[in-house]
Amino acid sequence: MSPLDIVIILAVAVAVVLCVRSFVRGRASECSTCGDAGCTARRDGGRCRAADDMLRRASEALDRTARPNAG
């Protein structure tokens, strides 16, 4: 087994460990951390402003494509 094989196996092992760690840490809630410093949705069980904004913008984009002459 060459040194390159060992490096590749170690890199894959590290990636697997980091993925498992991420899954385990993310099980605390269905809401992921969005990076919004003022967001309390995850802690308090409220609505996620980032998700609401994303859905609003997606709906607006779909409305524009459904009515191409309107906007």
Side-chain angles (χ1 to χ4, degrees):
M1 189 181 294
S2 72
L4 182 60
D5 292 334
I6 294 172
V7 169
I8 291 172
I9 290 171
L10 288 175
V12 170
V14 168
V16 168
V17 167
L18 290 175
C19 288
V20 169
R21 179 178 169 255
S22 175
F23 282 126
V24 169
R25 291 181 76 192
R27 296 268 185 222
S29 167
E30 294 176 1
C31 182
S32 66
T33 304
C34 65
D36 185 358
C39 185
T40 60
R42 183 173 185 166
R43 183 183 64 223
D44 299 339
R47 296 196 48 97
C48 179
R49 293 186 304 233
D52 289 343
D53 182 53
M54 178 188 63
L55 292 173
R56 180 189 54 79
R57 287 188 283 154
S59 292
E60 289 173 357
L62 288 172
D63 287 344
R64 280 195 302 265
T65 59
R67 294 178 280 137
N69 295 331

